[in-house]
Short mmCIF file of all heavy atoms in Angstrom, two decimals:
data_model
loop_
_atom_site.label_atom_id
_atom_site.label_comp_id
_atom_site.label_asym_id
_atom_site.label_seq_id
_atom_site.Cartn_x
_atom_site.Cartn_y
_atom_site.Cartn_z
N GLU H 456 66.80 63.40 -85.21
CA GLU H 456 67.55 63.50 -86.48
C GLU H 456 67.94 62.11 -86.99
O GLU H 456 67.88 61.85 -88.20
CB GLU H 456 68.80 64.36 -86.27
CG GLU H 456 68.52 65.84 -86.04
CD GLU H 456 67.89 66.52 -87.26
OE1 GLU H 456 68.10 66.02 -88.38
OE2 GLU H 456 67.18 67.52 -87.07
N ASP H 457 68.34 61.24 -86.08
CA ASP H 457 68.66 59.86 -86.48
C ASP H 457 67.43 59.16 -87.04
O ASP H 457 67.53 58.40 -88.02
CB ASP H 457 69.20 59.07 -85.28
CG ASP H 457 70.55 59.57 -84.82
OD1 ASP H 457 71.22 60.27 -85.61
OD2 ASP H 457 70.95 59.27 -83.68
N GLU H 458 66.27 59.41 -86.44
CA GLU H 458 65.03 58.79 -86.92
C GLU H 458 64.68 59.27 -88.32
O GLU H 458 64.28 58.48 -89.19
CB GLU H 458 63.89 59.11 -85.95
CG GLU H 458 62.52 58.57 -86.35
CD GLU H 458 62.42 57.05 -86.23
OE1 GLU H 458 63.39 56.42 -85.75
OE2 GLU H 458 61.38 56.50 -86.62
N LEU H 459 64.84 60.56 -88.59
CA LEU H 459 64.56 61.09 -89.93
C LEU H 459 65.53 60.51 -90.95
O LEU H 459 65.12 60.14 -92.08
CB LEU H 459 64.66 62.61 -89.90
CG LEU H 459 64.42 63.34 -91.23
CD1 LEU H 459 63.03 63.01 -91.77
CD2 LEU H 459 64.57 64.85 -91.06
N LEU H 460 66.80 60.39 -90.59
CA LEU H 460 67.77 59.79 -91.50
C LEU H 460 67.42 58.34 -91.78
O LEU H 460 67.50 57.87 -92.94
CB LEU H 460 69.17 59.90 -90.88
CG LEU H 460 70.32 59.30 -91.69
CD1 LEU H 460 70.45 59.98 -93.04
CD2 LEU H 460 71.63 59.38 -90.91
N ARG H 461 67.03 57.60 -90.76
CA ARG H 461 66.64 56.20 -90.94
C ARG H 461 65.44 56.09 -91.87
O ARG H 461 65.38 55.20 -92.74
CB ARG H 461 66.33 55.58 -89.58
CG ARG H 461 66.00 54.09 -89.64
CD ARG H 461 65.72 53.56 -88.24
NE ARG H 461 64.51 54.14 -87.67
CZ ARG H 461 63.28 53.68 -87.93
NH1 ARG H 461 63.10 52.66 -88.75
NH2 ARG H 461 62.23 54.25 -87.35
N ALA H 462 64.47 56.99 -91.72
CA ALA H 462 63.28 56.96 -92.56
C ALA H 462 63.65 57.23 -94.02
O ALA H 462 63.13 56.55 -94.94
CB ALA H 462 62.27 57.99 -92.07
N ARG H 463 64.54 58.18 -94.24
CA ARG H 463 64.95 58.48 -95.63
C ARG H 463 65.72 57.32 -96.24
O ARG H 463 65.54 56.99 -97.43
CB ARG H 463 65.82 59.75 -95.63
CG ARG H 463 65.02 61.02 -95.35
CD ARG H 463 65.90 62.21 -95.14
NE ARG H 463 65.14 63.45 -95.00
CZ ARG H 463 65.64 64.61 -94.61
NH1 ARG H 463 66.95 64.68 -94.29
NH2 ARG H 463 64.89 65.69 -94.52
N GLU H 464 66.59 56.70 -95.44
CA GLU H 464 67.31 55.52 -95.95
C GLU H 464 66.35 54.39 -96.27
O GLU H 464 66.54 53.66 -97.26
CB GLU H 464 68.35 55.08 -94.92
CG GLU H 464 69.51 56.06 -94.74
CD GLU H 464 70.43 55.66 -93.63
OE1 GLU H 464 70.03 54.79 -92.81
OE2 GLU H 464 71.54 56.21 -93.53
N SER H 465 65.31 54.21 -95.46
CA SER H 465 64.32 53.16 -95.71
C SER H 465 63.57 53.43 -97.00
O SER H 465 63.34 52.52 -97.81
CB SER H 465 63.35 53.09 -94.52
OG SER H 465 62.40 52.07 -94.73
N LEU H 466 63.18 54.69 -97.23
CA LEU H 466 62.47 55.04 -98.47
C LEU H 466 63.36 54.79 -99.68
O LEU H 466 62.90 54.26 -100.72
CB LEU H 466 62.04 56.50 -98.40
CG LEU H 466 61.35 57.05 -99.65
CD1 LEU H 466 60.06 56.28 -99.94
CD2 LEU H 466 61.04 58.54 -99.50
N THR H 467 64.64 55.16 -99.56
CA THR H 467 65.57 54.94 -100.68
C THR H 467 65.72 53.45 -100.98
O THR H 467 65.71 53.03 -102.16
CB THR H 467 66.94 55.54 -100.34
OG1 THR H 467 66.81 56.94 -100.10
CG2 THR H 467 67.93 55.32 -101.47
N ALA H 468 65.86 52.64 -99.93
CA ALA H 468 66.02 51.20 -100.14
C ALA H 468 64.77 50.58 -100.75
O ALA H 468 64.85 49.71 -101.64
CB ALA H 468 66.34 50.53 -98.80
N VAL H 469 63.59 51.03 -100.31
CA VAL H 469 62.34 50.45 -100.81
C VAL H 469 62.11 50.81 -102.27
O VAL H 469 61.66 49.98 -103.08
CB VAL H 469 61.17 50.92 -99.92
CG1 VAL H 469 59.83 50.67 -100.60
CG2 VAL H 469 61.21 50.21 -98.58
N THR H 470 62.39 52.04 -102.64
CA THR H 470 62.10 52.51 -104.01
C THR H 470 63.22 52.22 -104.99
O THR H 470 63.14 52.62 -106.16
CB THR H 470 61.84 54.03 -103.99
OG1 THR H 470 62.97 54.70 -103.43
CG2 THR H 470 60.60 54.35 -103.17
N ALA H 471 64.26 51.52 -104.56
CA ALA H 471 65.38 51.23 -105.47
C ALA H 471 64.93 50.47 -106.72
O ALA H 471 65.35 50.80 -107.84
CB ALA H 471 66.47 50.47 -104.72
N PRO H 472 64.06 49.41 -106.62
CA PRO H 472 63.62 48.72 -107.85
C PRO H 472 62.88 49.64 -108.80
O PRO H 472 63.04 49.53 -110.03
CB PRO H 472 62.70 47.62 -107.31
CG PRO H 472 63.18 47.37 -105.93
CD PRO H 472 63.58 48.70 -105.42
N LEU H 473 62.06 50.56 -108.28
CA LEU H 473 61.37 51.51 -109.15
C LEU H 473 62.36 52.42 -109.84
O LEU H 473 62.17 52.80 -111.01
CB LEU H 473 60.36 52.33 -108.34
CG LEU H 473 59.18 51.56 -107.73
CD1 LEU H 473 58.31 52.50 -106.92
CD2 LEU H 473 58.35 50.89 -108.83
N ALA H 474 63.44 52.79 -109.13
CA ALA H 474 64.46 53.63 -109.74
C ALA H 474 65.17 52.89 -110.86
O ALA H 474 65.48 53.46 -111.91
CB ALA H 474 65.45 54.09 -108.68
N VAL H 475 65.42 51.59 -110.63
CA VAL H 475 66.06 50.78 -111.68
C VAL H 475 65.15 50.70 -112.90
O VAL H 475 65.59 50.84 -114.05
CB VAL H 475 66.38 49.37 -111.15
CG1 VAL H 475 66.84 48.46 -112.28
CG2 VAL H 475 67.45 49.46 -110.05
N ARG H 476 63.84 50.46 -112.67
CA ARG H 476 62.90 50.39 -113.79
C ARG H 476 62.85 51.72 -114.54
O ARG H 476 62.83 51.75 -115.78
CB ARG H 476 61.52 50.03 -113.27
CG ARG H 476 60.51 49.77 -114.39
CD ARG H 476 59.12 49.50 -113.86
NE ARG H 476 58.54 50.70 -113.23
CZ ARG H 476 57.28 50.77 -112.81
NH1 ARG H 476 56.49 49.71 -112.94
NH2 ARG H 476 56.81 51.87 -112.26
N ALA H 477 62.84 52.84 -113.79
CA ALA H 477 62.81 54.14 -114.45
C ALA H 477 64.07 54.37 -115.26
O ALA H 477 64.02 54.95 -116.37
CB ALA H 477 62.66 55.24 -113.39
N GLU H 478 65.22 53.91 -114.76
CA GLU H 478 66.47 54.07 -115.52
C GLU H 478 66.43 53.26 -116.81
O GLU H 478 66.87 53.72 -117.87
CB GLU H 478 67.63 53.64 -114.63
CG GLU H 478 69.01 54.01 -115.17
CD GLU H 478 69.57 52.94 -116.11
OE1 GLU H 478 69.18 51.77 -115.98
OE2 GLU H 478 70.39 53.30 -116.98
N LEU H 479 65.88 52.03 -116.74
CA LEU H 479 65.77 51.20 -117.94
C LEU H 479 64.82 51.82 -118.95
O LEU H 479 65.08 51.80 -120.17
CB LEU H 479 65.30 49.79 -117.55
CG LEU H 479 66.31 48.94 -116.78
CD1 LEU H 479 65.67 47.64 -116.33
CD2 LEU H 479 67.55 48.64 -117.62
N ARG H 480 63.70 52.37 -118.46
CA ARG H 480 62.76 53.03 -119.36
C ARG H 480 63.42 54.22 -120.05
O ARG H 480 63.27 54.43 -121.27
CB ARG H 480 61.54 53.53 -118.59
CG ARG H 480 60.58 52.42 -118.17
CD ARG H 480 59.43 52.99 -117.35
NE ARG H 480 58.42 51.99 -117.05
CZ ARG H 480 57.30 52.23 -116.36
NH1 ARG H 480 57.09 53.46 -115.88
NH2 ARG H 480 56.43 51.28 -116.14
N GLY H 481 64.17 55.01 -119.30
CA GLY H 481 64.84 56.15 -119.89
C GLY H 481 65.88 55.73 -120.91
O GLY H 481 66.01 56.37 -121.97
N ARG H 482 66.62 54.67 -120.62
CA ARG H 482 67.63 54.21 -121.56
C ARG H 482 66.99 53.71 -122.86
O ARG H 482 67.47 54.01 -123.96
CB ARG H 482 68.45 53.09 -120.92
CG ARG H 482 69.74 52.80 -121.68
CD ARG H 482 70.37 51.49 -121.28
NE ARG H 482 70.49 51.32 -119.85
CZ ARG H 482 70.90 50.17 -119.30
NH1 ARG H 482 71.18 49.12 -120.08
NH2 ARG H 482 70.99 50.05 -117.99
N LEU H 483 65.87 52.97 -122.72
CA LEU H 483 65.17 52.45 -123.91
C LEU H 483 64.68 53.59 -124.79
O LEU H 483 64.88 53.58 -126.03
CB LEU H 483 64.01 51.57 -123.46
CG LEU H 483 63.16 50.95 -124.59
CD1 LEU H 483 64.01 49.96 -125.39
CD2 LEU H 483 61.94 50.26 -124.00
N ASP H 484 64.03 54.59 -124.18
CA ASP H 484 63.52 55.71 -124.97
C ASP H 484 64.64 56.54 -125.57
O ASP H 484 64.50 57.10 -126.67
CB ASP H 484 62.63 56.59 -124.09
CG ASP H 484 61.30 55.90 -123.76
OD1 ASP H 484 60.94 54.96 -124.49
OD2 ASP H 484 60.64 56.32 -122.78
N ALA H 485 65.78 56.65 -124.88
CA ALA H 485 66.90 57.42 -125.41
C ALA H 485 67.45 56.75 -126.67
O ALA H 485 67.76 57.43 -127.66
CB ALA H 485 68.00 57.54 -124.35
N TYR H 486 67.56 55.43 -126.66
CA TYR H 486 68.05 54.73 -127.86
C TYR H 486 67.05 54.82 -128.99
O TYR H 486 67.41 54.93 -130.18
CB TYR H 486 68.36 53.26 -127.52
CG TYR H 486 69.82 53.07 -127.15
CD1 TYR H 486 70.25 53.20 -125.84
CD2 TYR H 486 70.77 52.77 -128.13
CE1 TYR H 486 71.57 53.06 -125.48
CE2 TYR H 486 72.10 52.61 -127.79
CZ TYR H 486 72.49 52.76 -126.48
OH TYR H 486 73.81 52.61 -126.15
N LYS H 487 65.75 54.77 -128.65
CA LYS H 487 64.73 54.90 -129.71
C LYS H 487 64.83 56.26 -130.37
O LYS H 487 64.73 56.37 -131.61
CB LYS H 487 63.34 54.71 -129.11
CG LYS H 487 62.23 54.81 -130.16
CD LYS H 487 60.85 54.69 -129.53
CE LYS H 487 59.78 54.82 -130.61
NZ LYS H 487 58.41 54.76 -130.06
N ALA H 488 65.03 57.33 -129.57
CA ALA H 488 65.16 58.67 -130.15
C ALA H 488 66.41 58.75 -131.01
O ALA H 488 66.41 59.40 -132.07
CB ALA H 488 65.23 59.70 -129.01
N LYS H 489 67.47 58.10 -130.61
CA LYS H 489 68.71 58.12 -131.38
C LYS H 489 68.50 57.43 -132.74
O LYS H 489 68.96 57.92 -133.78
CB LYS H 489 69.81 57.43 -130.59
CG LYS H 489 71.17 57.46 -131.26
CD LYS H 489 72.21 56.81 -130.35
CE LYS H 489 73.59 56.86 -131.00
NZ LYS H 489 74.62 56.23 -130.15
N VAL H 490 67.79 56.30 -132.70
CA VAL H 490 67.51 55.57 -133.95
C VAL H 490 66.64 56.41 -134.87
O VAL H 490 66.86 56.47 -136.10
CB VAL H 490 66.82 54.22 -133.60
CG1 VAL H 490 66.23 53.59 -134.87
CG2 VAL H 490 67.81 53.28 -132.95
N ALA H 491 65.66 57.12 -134.27
CA ALA H 491 64.76 57.95 -135.09
C ALA H 491 65.53 59.08 -135.75
O ALA H 491 65.25 59.43 -136.91
CB ALA H 491 63.64 58.50 -134.21
N ARG H 492 66.49 59.68 -135.07
CA ARG H 492 67.28 60.76 -135.66
C ARG H 492 68.07 60.28 -136.86
O ARG H 492 68.35 61.07 -137.77
CB ARG H 492 68.23 61.34 -134.60
CG ARG H 492 67.55 62.21 -133.56
CD ARG H 492 68.55 63.08 -132.83
NE ARG H 492 69.61 62.31 -132.23
CZ ARG H 492 69.56 61.78 -131.00
NH1 ARG H 492 68.45 61.95 -130.26
NH2 ARG H 492 70.57 61.10 -130.51
N HIS H 493 68.44 59.02 -136.88
CA HIS H 493 69.19 58.48 -138.02
C HIS H 493 68.28 57.86 -139.07
O HIS H 493 68.76 57.19 -140.00
CB HIS H 493 70.20 57.43 -137.53
CG HIS H 493 71.36 58.04 -136.80
ND1 HIS H 493 71.30 58.44 -135.47
CD2 HIS H 493 72.64 58.33 -137.22
CE1 HIS H 493 72.45 58.92 -135.10
NE2 HIS H 493 73.30 58.88 -136.14
N GLY H 494 66.97 58.04 -138.95
CA GLY H 494 66.04 57.56 -139.97
C GLY H 494 65.85 56.06 -140.00
O GLY H 494 65.44 55.51 -141.02
N MET H 495 66.12 55.39 -138.88
CA MET H 495 66.02 53.93 -138.85
C MET H 495 64.86 53.48 -137.97
O MET H 495 64.82 52.32 -137.54
CB MET H 495 67.33 53.35 -138.30
CG MET H 495 68.57 53.81 -139.05
SD MET H 495 68.54 53.30 -140.80
CE MET H 495 68.65 51.53 -140.62
N ALA H 496 63.88 54.35 -137.73
CA ALA H 496 62.80 54.01 -136.81
C ALA H 496 61.92 52.88 -137.33
O ALA H 496 61.25 52.19 -136.55
CB ALA H 496 61.94 55.25 -136.53
N GLU H 497 61.88 52.70 -138.67
CA GLU H 497 61.00 51.69 -139.25
C GLU H 497 61.67 50.33 -139.43
O GLU H 497 61.09 49.42 -140.03
CB GLU H 497 60.49 52.18 -140.61
CG GLU H 497 59.73 53.50 -140.56
CD GLU H 497 58.54 53.42 -139.61
OE1 GLU H 497 57.89 52.36 -139.57
OE2 GLU H 497 58.27 54.42 -138.89
#
Side-chain angles (χ1 to χ4, degrees):
E456 290 295 335
D457 292 342
E458 178 71 5
L459 179 58
L460 179 61
R461 184 179 66 83
R463 288 171 174 169
E464 291 174 345
S465 181
L466 177 61
T467 300
V469 165
T470 57
L473 294 178
V475 172
R476 187 184 68 172
E478 192 273 334
L479 290 174
R480 286 177 174 181
R482 195 195 311 173
L483 180 65
D484 288 341
Y486 266 90
K487 181 183 179 182
K489 184 177 181 180
V490 167
R492 286 198 305 271
H493 287 80
M495 305 298 294
E497 301 303 323

